[in-house]
Amino acid sequence: MAAPESGDGNNGAARMVTLISSDNTRFEVEAAAASLSQTLQLTILDGGGGGGDGIPLPNVDSATLSKVLEYCIKHAPAAANGGAPNATAVDRAELERFDNEFVNIDQSVLYSLIMAAHNLEIEGLQSLVAKKVADMIKGKSPMEIRRTLGFPDPTPEEQAEMNAHMLEYGWAYE
Amino acid sequence: MKRRNNAAGHGVLPLDVLFDVLVRLPAKEICRFRAVCRPWRCLTSDPVFIQEHAARHRSPLIVASFHDDDKHVHLMDLSGRILKTLPVPAGLTSLCSRLDLICVASLIGNISLINPATGTVKHLPNAPAEHFDSHDSSSDEEWGLLHPEPEIDVFALGRVDSTGEYKVLRVSSVPTPTTWFDDREDLPCHGTGVLTVNGSARRTRWISHMSPDEFLLDLEYMDDAVVVGGSVYFLWHTGMFPMRRDEEDMRCGISPHYIAVFNLDKEQWRSIPGPRHGEYYDHGSFDDDEDVSKYFDMWTGSTLAELNGCLVLVHKRDPQDSSTFLDLWFLTDAKKHVWAKQYTILAPEAIIPATERVKPLLLLHDGRIVIFLGSKGVLLVYDPATNLFPEMDTRRLDAVVSTYITLSTRSFPYAPRRQHLDLRSHLLGARRIIQARAACLKVQQPSTPVALRRRPVMVNHLAAASRHGRVMPPDVLFDILLRLPAKDCRLPALAIPDL
């Protein structure tokens, strides 16, 4: 039961929604920013998240959520302009600088961010983190990648498969 | 179970995140990454991934056959640097490609495919012998007028996008004389054949076709066949056609087509008009002789090429002031036969002689055009901004084609490999996928080319993903599978082998 005054409060101040992280921290953000998440968008359109209700996000902890919202708030104005076709070059450069800075983070934070972007389906953030991970693994050998991404050591069987593959793809290691 | 949620990170990226990450990396990196682990290998071998990857990374390479070396072809980058030298089977010298495979053939119907990434060679069945060694002696004179060149087989390698099949079209350059001398008034036709390279074993043989009677093609060189998408284009033979369907006919409203098209998917011939057909042809007929001769001039002074996925008609105008004019007409709408003149190249005759065989090879991102001069055997890099034609520093070339390296070049494009079936154990059940895919596709229009379109999912939907260690999280996989239209990904064979 959403309170009517919050659900239809589309006049005056921007509508706010409340998001609740897995550790029960409440975040109040503009609906426009939260709507960058495809997952949340429908709920918000239906009038959810207003008033005292809040939208629970059991997969996202508060540290990650605040990081995600930082991104959303920064990108919401541009997204509201329909992908910002008329944004000035300065605005775009500023966003780019922000993005670069934004993913310059510890790998465990990055991982949480990837999962959150994925679960919340925030398209811009998804491609931003994907690009970051791609940059991280570029030029590395398979073993280095396993180490970078924290895979367990290969079993003998896996090691044999890897060796066989390296033989087949010798040219890719040149 | 040991949790690995330590600071070092995880390696349990959901499949579509991994997809997003890997699709950004060049093919060579991806091939190396296939060693990382089995899920990565499965993902990067998947046809959907390969297709999306190819759409993003298509930096062209030039395959060169040098005049002084008929035992190798050479992969060059756009500066002319040789990256790789690949041996070719003895006797095979002609080149055709524009795909991620190089096709080499002999003049008499032997044909092989070379994988540019690995150098592996696949021999294809010989084309059926439809050559007639001894023409009827009474015909030779007449025949020689039409066909001064020796008889060759022209091959064209193309890919049918809807099925992923690679097909080779063979056209004998000399029309079959048996029909030439039978009682009919029909013109001779070319013996042609189609070979599906990666079909089932039953289909990997030459299927013979005859071209329609009036399709007399202009075939002197291997690159006279131009492959664009799933179609192979040829110019009609100029020596023959005006006599047959002459100017009178054109005034009477017979459509002035002079380009023959073979559709590799349907395996059918048809024809299309060249540029400016509308201009001269507005009122259902040509107005006067001048129009007709101009239109014929468009045809007789032209060659075909492919640039940027478009058919291009290269029209060499009469030289003026010791300069050669080349108009590049792009077939911008193949269905409606819309041509647009996008470049006019004005070259000094010293650089491009009026008699030169000119073949644009590549249109680069910066607008420069790589042009092959067939008689001189050199490559020019034409820059429209400066109107300069620097010559690429190479040995003398016999033939060049372009190619690119994609992930499917890992091996010849056969049906999905067995390892795809490893996915099966992770799937939730074939029936559920079919139902869910049907429901999903009803709601959402998948885009083409295949990209993973996201749709709102329940927040918890993918929560299970992180619990599944390194194996592919079934929910994520499921989620991906049902977003893909069945025909694009050939997943039914992979996901539901029982049905």
Side-chain angles (χ1 to χ4, degrees):
Chain A
M1 304 284 170
E5 66 272 22
S6 61
D8 298 319
N10 54 0
N11 49 348
R15 192 186 141 196
M16 304 299 280
V17 292
T18 306
L19 307 177
I20 305 168
S21 69
S22 61
D23 43 2
N24 274 325
T25 312
R26 300 173 75 88
F27 291 84
E28 203 180 357
V29 289
E30 285 183 17
S35 294
L36 286 192
S37 156
Q38 299 277 316
T39 316
L40 296 177
Q41 197 174 43
L42 286 183
T43 318
I44 292 168
L45 281 179
D46 286 347
D53 288 354
I55 304 172
L57 301 173
N59 292 323
V60 190
D61 62 34
S62 57
T64 310
L65 187 54
S66 71
K67 189 85 179 150
V68 169
L69 292 178
E70 185 191 336
Y71 175 91
C72 290
I73 290 165
K74 187 77 183 177
H75 280 260
N81 292 339
N86 48 7
T88 66
V90 180
D91 287 344
R92 275 200 299 273
E94 162 63 15
L95 272 186
E96 201 170 307
R97 191 200 57 76
F98 169 85
D99 282 354
N100 287 336
E101 196 74 1
F102 186 77
V103 288
N104 194 8
I105 47 177
D106 187 74
Q107 200 174 317
S108 60
V109 183
L110 182 66
Y111 183 80
S112 316
L113 203 55
I114 290 170
M115 292 309 291
H118 181 68
N119 289 335
L120 293 171
E121 302 225 6
I122 302 167
E123 201 157 333
L125 185 55
Q126 279 175 313
S127 58
L128 179 62
V129 291
K131 189 162 163 291
K132 171 72 180 174
V133 178
D135 288 343
M136 275 165 51
I137 61 178
K138 198 181 277 180
K140 290 201 161 82
S141 75
M143 275 311 285
E144 284 169 329
I145 289 168
R146 291 184 69 110
R147 267 181 238 124
T148 306
L149 298 180
F151 286 23
D153 289 336
T155 62
E157 188 200 350
E158 280 177 318
Q159 187 64 54
E161 272 183 26
M162 285 173 78
N163 292 346
H165 182 276
M166 286 183 195
L167 276 182
E168 185 187 350
Y169 284 94
W171 62 273
Y173 296 85
E174 280 163 14
Chain B
M1 185 192 276
K2 196 167 61 170
R3 282 179 64 95
R4 301 198 55 87
N5 290 7
N6 51 24
H10 308 261
V12 202
L13 296 176
L15 193 59
D16 54 0
V17 173
L18 193 57
F19 188 113
D20 262 2
V21 168
L22 294 182
V23 83
R24 289 157 196 275
L25 294 164
K28 190 169 167 179
E29 302 257 331
I30 299 290
C31 287
R32 203 167 67 234
F33 294 170
R34 283 190 172 142
V36 168
C37 59
R38 198 175 286 174
W40 283 40
R41 193 148 57 243
C42 290
L43 174 66
T44 54
S45 308
D46 191 280
V48 178
F49 183 86
I50 288 169
Q51 196 176 340
E52 174 75 12
H53 187 273
R56 285 186 182 227
H57 307 263
R58 188 163 288 186
S59 60
L61 297 171
I62 296 171
V63 188
S65 171
F66 290 123
H67 188 63
D68 56 5
D69 181 357
D70 59 3
K71 302 206 166 39
H72 301 91
V73 292
H74 305 265
L75 283 185
M76 303 192 302
D77 64 12
L78 297 174
S79 64
R81 192 165 59 103
I82 294 174
L83 303 173
K84 210 175 173 81
T85 299
L86 306 169
V88 298
L92 304 188
T93 52
S94 307
L95 277 174
C96 66
S97 176
R98 283 204 173 254
L99 295 171
D100 52 354
L101 291 173
I102 305 165
C103 175
V104 288
S106 73
L107 297 181
I108 53 163
N110 299 320
I111 180 166
S112 296
L113 297 178
I114 301 179
N115 178 331
T118 61
T120 344
V121 175
K122 178 178 169 56
H123 298 282
L124 300 181
N126 281 4
E130 280 175 22
H131 303 275
F132 295 85
D133 296 332
S134 54
H135 292 161
D136 188 324
S137 58
S138 65
S139 70
D140 272 356
E141 196 177 325
E142 203 169 355
W143 198 243
L145 291 176
L146 276 175
H147 288 277
E149 300 299 325
E151 176 174 0
I152 59 168
D153 273 341
V154 170
F155 291 93
L157 171 70
R159 206 180 88 103
V160 180
D161 279 339
S162 58
T163 60
E165 287 172 318
Y166 288 75
K167 291 188 179 183
V168 179
L169 171 69
R170 177 191 66 85
V171 184
S172 162
S173 72
V174 178
T176 311
T178 45
T179 47
W180 176 236
F181 293 105
D182 70 10
D183 291 338
R184 297 184 296 157
E185 284 192 3
D186 295 336
L187 285 175
C189 56
H190 294 272
T192 68
V194 177
L195 177 75
T196 305
V197 177
N198 53 339
S200 60
R202 190 164 37 84
R203 295 201 61 199
T204 310
R205 61 187 176 85
W206 289 94
I207 311 286
S208 287
H209 292 263
M210 282 292 173
S211 66
D213 285 344
E214 293 184 356
F215 283 62
L216 196 55
L217 307 175
D218 191 16
L219 296 174
E220 265 183 66
Y221 302 97
M222 196 61 84
D223 59 9
D224 285 332
V226 174
V227 183
V228 182
S231 298
V232 191
Y233 293 84
F234 304 85
L235 281 173
W236 272 342
H237 195 290
T238 48
M240 190 63 160
F241 197 69
M243 293 189 285
R244 166 88 178 159
R245 184 176 275 181
D246 57 17
E247 298 161 22
E248 281 304 315
D249 286 345
M250 292 174 80
R251 287 203 200 91
C252 296
I254 294 175
S255 181
H257 290 193
Y258 56 79
I259 295 168
V261 191
F262 184 80
N263 183 315
L264 288 170
D265 184 17
K266 299 186 184 128
E267 304 192 1
Q268 278 173 354
W269 290 92
R270 65 193 171 86
S271 66
I272 60 168
R276 314 183 82 163
H277 58 102
E279 193 175 320
Y280 298 129
Y281 202 55
D282 273 344
H283 315 293
S285 65
F286 285 94
D287 288 339
D288 54 38
D289 289 348
E290 198 186 340
D291 281 354
V292 175
S293 68
K294 272 187 194 161
Y295 189 76
F296 275 133
D297 179 57
M298 287 291 292
W299 168 15
T300 54
S302 293
T303 50
L304 296 179
E306 185 258 23
L307 290 175
N308 256 17
C310 263
L311 180 71
V312 176
L313 184 116
V314 184
H315 176 227
K316 203 185 291 166
R317 273 190 265 158
D318 289 337
Q320 291 168 10
D321 304 330
S322 57
S323 290
T324 304
F325 285 87
L326 299 171
D327 290 333
L328 304 193
W329 292 83
F330 285 62
L331 181 62
T332 50
D333 186 336
K335 285 208 176 67
K336 294 186 183 140
H337 310 147
V338 180
W339 293 85
K341 183 160 77 177
Q342 298 193 351
Y343 292 87
T344 294
I345 299 173
L346 174 60
E349 257 198 290
I351 295 176
I352 304 183
T355 53
E356 181 61 69
R357 194 161 63 88
V358 182
K359 203 81 177 178
L361 186 70
L362 289 167
L363 179 56
L364 308 181
H365 289 305
D366 56 9
R368 288 180 304 161
I369 304 176
V370 180
I371 301 173
F372 178 54
L373 302 186
S375 320
K376 277 190 184 175
V378 298
L379 286 167
L380 304 179
V381 187
Y382 164 65
D383 187 344
T386 59
N387 204 41
L388 292 176
F389 299 80
E391 192 174 312
M392 209 180 271
D393 184 18
T394 62
R395 283 137 72 190
R396 185 172 167 202
L397 296 153
D398 265 357
V400 287
V401 291
S402 66
T403 188
Y404 49 87
I405 291 189
T406 69
L407 292 168
S408 59
T409 41
R410 92 182 285 262
S411 58
F412 286 105
Y414 284 115
R417 287 161 61 108
R418 184 156 285 279
Q419 65 174 9
H420 287 250
L421 296 179
D422 293 345
L423 297 183
R424 185 181 155 199
S425 57
H426 301 303
L427 293 172
L428 299 182
R431 199 159 293 281
R432 192 178 145 201
I433 287 187
I434 294 171
Q435 288 163 354
R437 181 194 281 147
C440 176
L441 293 183
K442 239 181 256 168
V443 180
Q444 157 224 349
Q445 210 58 28
S447 68
T448 50
V450 181
L452 290 183
R453 302 305 310 163
R454 297 188 168 77
R455 79 192 155 86
V457 288
M458 300 301 294
V459 177
N460 287 328
H461 186 75
L462 298 170
S466 54
R467 289 200 296 271
H468 282 270
R470 287 184 306 98
V471 296
M472 205 163 316
D475 291 54
V476 177
L477 184 60
F478 176 77
D479 206 48
I480 287 182
L481 288 181
L482 57 80
R483 293 173 203 202
L484 301 170
K487 84 169 170 50
D488 285 332
C489 53
R490 286 178 279 166
L491 282 173
L494 167 166
I496 39 179
D498 301 330
L499 300 181

